[in-house]
Amino acid sequence: NAGVTQTPKFQVLKTGQSMTLQCAQDMNHEYMSWYRQDPGMGLRLIHYSVGAGITDQGEVPNGYNVSRSTTEDFPLRLLSAAPSQTSVYFCASSYSVASGNEQFFGPGTRLTVL
Amino acid sequence: QQQVKQSPQSLIVQKGGISIINCAYENTAFDYFPWYQQFPGKGPALLIAIRPDVSEKKEGRFTISFNKSAKQFSLHIMDSQPGDSATYFCAASKGSNYQLIWGAGTKLIIKP
Protein backbone atom coordinates (compact mmCIF):
# COMPACT_ATOMS: atom_id res chain seq x y z
CA ASN A 1 0.00 0.00 0.00
CA ALA A 2 1.25 3.48 -0.86
CA GLY A 3 -0.91 4.96 1.92
CA VAL A 4 -1.80 8.62 1.41
CA THR A 5 -0.03 10.33 -1.47
CA GLN A 6 0.04 14.04 -2.29
CA THR A 7 1.25 15.94 -5.32
CA PRO A 8 3.00 18.23 -5.88
CA LYS A 9 5.50 18.35 -3.02
CA PHE A 10 6.31 22.03 -3.62
CA GLN A 11 4.50 24.76 -5.52
CA VAL A 12 4.99 28.48 -6.08
CA LEU A 13 2.04 30.50 -7.33
CA LYS A 14 1.44 34.12 -8.14
CA THR A 15 -1.46 35.95 -6.53
CA GLY A 16 -4.66 35.23 -8.43
CA GLN A 17 -3.54 31.96 -9.97
CA SER A 18 -5.51 28.79 -9.41
CA MET A 19 -4.31 25.27 -8.85
CA THR A 20 -5.32 21.85 -7.59
CA LEU A 21 -3.53 19.91 -4.88
CA GLN A 22 -3.94 16.20 -5.42
CA CYS A 23 -4.55 13.62 -2.70
CA ALA A 24 -5.11 9.90 -3.08
CA GLN A 25 -5.32 6.95 -0.69
CA ASP A 26 -5.33 3.24 -1.47
CA MET A 27 -6.62 1.98 1.89
CA ASN A 28 -10.35 2.19 1.05
CA HIS A 29 -10.77 4.77 3.80
CA GLU A 30 -14.14 6.36 4.26
CA TYR A 31 -13.00 9.66 5.76
CA MET A 32 -10.64 12.12 4.09
CA SER A 33 -9.66 15.63 5.06
CA TRP A 34 -7.44 18.56 4.20
CA TYR A 35 -5.49 20.55 6.79
CA ARG A 36 -3.22 23.52 6.60
CA GLN A 37 -0.31 23.87 8.98
CA ASP A 38 1.07 27.26 9.90
CA PRO A 39 3.78 27.99 12.51
CA GLY A 40 2.37 28.18 16.03
CA MET A 41 -1.17 27.38 14.89
CA GLY A 42 -1.16 23.62 14.70
CA LEU A 43 -3.36 21.89 12.15
CA ARG A 44 -6.48 23.63 10.94
CA LEU A 45 -9.18 21.71 9.09
CA ILE A 46 -10.12 23.13 5.68
CA HIS A 47 -12.60 20.62 4.24
CA TYR A 48 -13.46 17.00 4.84
CA SER A 49 -15.40 14.15 3.29
CA VAL A 50 -17.19 11.20 4.89
CA GLY A 51 -17.56 9.31 1.62
CA ALA A 52 -17.74 9.65 -2.15
CA GLY A 53 -20.03 12.50 -3.12
CA ILE A 54 -20.15 13.97 0.41
CA THR A 55 -18.04 16.94 1.48
CA ASP A 56 -18.31 19.57 4.18
CA GLN A 57 -16.50 22.63 5.44
CA GLY A 58 -14.01 22.66 8.26
CA GLU A 59 -12.63 25.51 10.31
CA VAL A 60 -10.98 27.54 7.49
CA PRO A 61 -12.77 26.76 4.18
CA ASN A 62 -12.71 30.19 2.50
CA GLY A 63 -10.79 30.26 -0.78
CA TYR A 64 -10.79 26.48 -1.18
CA ASN A 65 -13.04 23.98 -2.94
CA VAL A 66 -13.11 20.20 -2.76
CA SER A 67 -14.88 17.33 -4.44
CA ARG A 68 -14.89 13.59 -3.90
CA SER A 69 -16.03 11.65 -6.92
CA THR A 70 -14.29 8.43 -5.86
CA THR A 71 -13.34 6.84 -2.53
CA GLU A 72 -9.65 7.16 -3.41
CA ASP A 73 -9.27 10.80 -4.51
CA PHE A 74 -9.88 14.07 -2.69
CA PRO A 75 -8.43 17.08 -4.57
CA LEU A 76 -8.22 20.55 -3.04
CA ARG A 77 -8.69 23.52 -5.36
CA LEU A 78 -7.40 27.01 -4.75
CA LEU A 79 -9.63 29.27 -6.80
CA SER A 80 -7.62 32.51 -6.73
CA ALA A 81 -4.46 32.17 -4.68
CA ALA A 82 -3.63 34.80 -2.06
CA PRO A 83 -0.43 35.29 -0.01
CA SER A 84 -2.43 34.30 3.11
CA GLN A 85 -2.70 30.81 1.62
CA THR A 86 1.04 30.30 1.86
CA SER A 87 1.23 27.22 4.06
CA VAL A 88 1.94 23.52 4.23
CA TYR A 89 -1.09 21.46 3.23
CA PHE A 90 -1.72 17.96 4.50
CA CYS A 91 -4.25 15.42 3.33
CA ALA A 92 -5.34 12.75 5.81
CA SER A 93 -7.58 9.70 5.74
CA SER A 94 -9.21 7.45 8.30
CA TYR A 95 -10.91 4.07 8.06
CA SER A 96 -14.22 5.31 9.39
CA VAL A 97 -15.87 8.33 10.88
CA ALA A 98 -16.04 6.90 14.38
CA SER A 99 -14.08 8.70 17.07
CA GLY A 100 -10.85 6.98 17.90
CA ASN A 101 -9.84 6.04 14.41
CA GLU A 102 -6.24 6.78 13.49
CA GLN A 103 -5.73 9.44 10.87
CA PHE A 104 -3.06 8.70 8.24
CA PHE A 105 -1.35 11.73 6.78
CA GLY A 106 0.28 12.33 3.44
CA PRO A 107 3.75 13.91 3.15
CA GLY A 108 2.38 17.41 2.57
CA THR A 109 2.52 20.10 -0.11
CA ARG A 110 4.47 23.26 0.64
CA LEU A 111 2.74 26.15 -1.14
CA THR A 112 4.12 29.65 -1.53
CA VAL A 113 1.95 32.41 -2.97
CA LEU A 114 3.84 35.49 -4.12
CA GLN B 1 -15.09 24.90 24.80
CA GLN B 2 -13.70 23.22 21.74
CA GLN B 3 -10.10 24.21 22.35
CA VAL B 4 -7.18 22.04 23.30
CA LYS B 5 -4.37 24.09 24.83
CA GLN B 6 -0.85 22.69 24.54
CA SER B 7 2.31 23.72 26.34
CA PRO B 8 5.14 24.43 26.09
CA GLN B 9 5.53 25.73 22.54
CA SER B 10 9.12 24.49 22.47
CA LEU B 11 11.23 22.30 24.72
CA ILE B 12 14.92 21.43 24.91
CA VAL B 13 15.92 18.32 26.88
CA GLN B 14 19.26 16.65 27.39
CA LYS B 15 19.73 13.13 26.05
CA GLY B 16 18.57 10.64 28.63
CA GLY B 17 16.24 13.10 30.33
CA ILE B 18 12.45 13.10 30.61
CA SER B 19 10.44 15.21 28.17
CA ILE B 20 7.00 16.33 29.35
CA ILE B 21 4.37 18.01 27.18
CA ASN B 22 1.03 19.08 28.61
CA CYS B 23 -2.45 19.57 27.17
CA ALA B 24 -5.64 20.90 28.71
CA TYR B 25 -9.19 20.75 27.43
CA GLU B 26 -12.57 22.18 28.39
CA ASN B 27 -15.13 19.91 26.76
CA THR B 28 -15.91 17.02 29.12
CA ALA B 29 -17.54 15.13 26.24
CA PHE B 30 -14.14 14.39 24.70
CA ASP B 31 -13.47 10.65 24.84
CA TYR B 32 -10.36 10.09 22.76
CA PHE B 33 -6.98 11.74 23.25
CA PRO B 34 -4.22 10.96 20.76
CA TRP B 35 -0.68 12.26 20.45
CA TYR B 36 0.83 12.67 17.01
CA GLN B 37 4.54 12.96 16.18
CA GLN B 38 5.80 14.93 13.20
CA PHE B 39 9.33 14.91 11.81
CA PRO B 40 10.52 17.77 9.56
CA GLY B 41 9.21 17.43 6.02
CA LYS B 42 6.78 14.67 6.96
CA GLY B 43 3.12 14.41 7.87
CA PRO B 44 2.08 13.74 11.47
CA ALA B 45 1.83 10.11 12.57
CA LEU B 46 -0.07 8.62 15.49
CA LEU B 47 2.25 7.97 18.43
CA ILE B 48 -0.02 6.90 21.27
CA ALA B 49 -3.62 7.47 22.35
CA ILE B 50 -5.77 7.12 25.46
CA ARG B 51 -9.42 7.02 26.44
CA PRO B 52 -10.64 8.55 29.72
CA ASP B 53 -11.43 5.22 31.38
CA VAL B 54 -7.73 4.80 32.25
CA SER B 55 -5.34 7.20 33.93
CA GLU B 56 -2.17 6.07 32.20
CA LYS B 57 -1.05 4.29 29.05
CA LYS B 58 2.51 3.26 28.34
CA GLU B 59 4.11 2.18 25.08
CA GLY B 60 7.84 1.71 25.35
CA ARG B 61 9.41 5.01 26.42
CA PHE B 62 6.21 6.95 25.76
CA THR B 63 3.52 7.39 28.43
CA ILE B 64 0.26 9.32 28.43
CA SER B 65 -0.94 10.46 31.85
CA PHE B 66 -4.60 11.44 32.02
CA ASN B 67 -6.27 13.49 34.76
CA LYS B 68 -10.00 13.53 34.14
CA SER B 69 -10.89 15.81 37.06
CA ALA B 70 -8.33 18.41 36.01
CA LYS B 71 -9.17 17.97 32.32
CA GLN B 72 -5.52 17.56 31.50
CA PHE B 73 -3.36 14.98 29.79
CA SER B 74 0.34 14.84 29.21
CA LEU B 75 2.97 12.99 27.19
CA HIS B 76 6.08 11.77 28.97
CA ILE B 77 9.10 10.59 27.00
CA MET B 78 11.51 8.68 29.19
CA ASP B 79 15.22 8.40 28.37
CA SER B 80 14.79 10.96 25.60
CA GLN B 81 16.94 10.37 22.52
CA PRO B 82 18.06 12.69 19.69
CA GLY B 83 15.81 10.66 17.37
CA ASP B 84 12.82 11.87 19.42
CA SER B 85 13.44 15.43 18.20
CA ALA B 86 10.19 16.31 16.43
CA THR B 87 7.02 18.32 16.79
CA TYR B 88 4.36 16.74 18.99
CA PHE B 89 0.64 17.46 18.75
CA CYS B 90 -2.05 16.53 21.22
CA ALA B 91 -5.64 16.25 20.05
CA ALA B 92 -9.11 15.29 21.25
CA SER B 93 -12.40 14.09 19.81
CA LYS B 94 -15.78 13.01 21.11
CA GLY B 95 -18.21 10.20 20.47
CA SER B 96 -19.58 10.13 16.97
CA ASN B 97 -17.91 13.44 16.12
CA TYR B 98 -14.76 12.15 14.52
CA GLN B 99 -13.21 15.58 14.02
CA LEU B 100 -9.98 15.94 15.92
CA ILE B 101 -9.44 19.19 17.82
CA TRP B 102 -5.69 19.86 17.72
CA GLY B 103 -3.28 21.52 20.08
CA ALA B 104 -0.84 24.07 18.63
CA GLY B 105 2.15 21.71 18.81
CA THR B 106 5.41 21.47 20.77
CA LYS B 107 8.78 21.47 19.07
CA LEU B 108 11.01 19.11 21.04
CA ILE B 109 14.79 19.17 20.68
CA ILE B 110 16.89 16.51 22.40
CA LYS B 111 20.48 17.64 22.86
CA PRO B 112 23.15 14.92 22.57
Side-chain angles (χ1 to χ4, degrees):
Chain A
N1 284 354
V4 180
T5 57
Q6 291 183 239
T7 56
K9 201 163 179 62
F10 301 95
Q11 184 70 50
V12 179
L13 291 178
K14 294 182 179 177
T15 297
Q17 287 185 317
S18 63
M19 78 159 295
T20 299
L21 280 61
Q22 301 291 343
C23 173
Q25 52 89 10
D26 61 358
M27 299 174 281
N28 200 32
H29 281 177
E30 184 177 30
Y31 176 78
M32 296 186 74
S33 58
W34 277 101
Y35 293 94
R36 60 177 289 171
Q37 183 176 24
D38 302 291
M41 302 189 73
L43 292 157
R44 293 186 290 170
L45 184 65
I46 305 171
H47 284 285
Y48 63 95
S49 168
V50 299
I54 306 170
T55 64
D56 207 346
Q57 297 180 348
E59 180 186 356
V60 288
N62 292 342
Y64 308 94
N65 273 359
V66 292
S67 60
R68 189 150 176 218
S69 56
T70 67
T71 300
E72 294 78 20
D73 300 298
F74 191 44
L76 177 73
R77 296 183 188 83
L78 279 70
L79 308 173
S80 178
S84 61
Q85 294 179 304
T86 293
S87 187
V88 181
Y89 291 84
F90 289 100
C91 179
S93 73
S94 181
Y95 176 70
S96 82
V97 298
S99 176
N101 274 273
E102 178 179 358
Q103 289 199 23
F104 294 84
F105 284 80
T109 294
R110 185 174 292 274
L111 176 68
T112 301
V113 182
L114 303 174
Chain B
Q1 250 210 339
Q2 282 288 88
Q3 281 187 318
V4 174
K5 293 184 180 179
Q6 184 173 346
S7 62
Q9 193 171 22
S10 61
L11 181 63
I12 299 174
V13 175
Q14 289 293 128
K15 179 183 174 183
I18 302 173
S19 304
I20 302 174
I21 304 171
N22 300 299
C23 284
Y25 63 96
E26 290 294 324
N27 191 336
T28 56
F30 286 146
D31 64 357
Y32 174 66
F33 302 89
W35 285 90
Y36 279 74
Q37 180 188 52
Q38 183 183 28
F39 293 107
K42 305 290 186 184
L46 180 65
L47 180 64
I48 187 172
I50 197 169
R51 292 200 179 269
D53 52 345
V54 296
S55 60
E56 186 176 281
K57 183 174 181 180
K58 186 175 181 178
E59 290 184 2
R61 297 183 294 108
F62 300 90
T63 300
I64 299 179
S65 296
F66 185 80
N67 186 329
K68 192 172 182 178
S69 60
K71 292 185 284 186
Q72 294 176 346
F73 59 109
S74 59
L75 176 69
H76 295 238
I77 306 174
M78 312 301 287
D79 186 27
S80 299
Q81 299 297 311
D84 298 329
S85 296
T87 298
Y88 292 82
F89 293 96
C90 63
S93 67
K94 57 179 180 176
S96 60
N97 187 347
Y98 38 85
Q99 302 297 356
L100 282 173
I101 309 300
W102 295 85
T106 296
K107 185 172 182 179
L108 174 65
I109 297 172
I110 307 300
K111 284 199 163 182

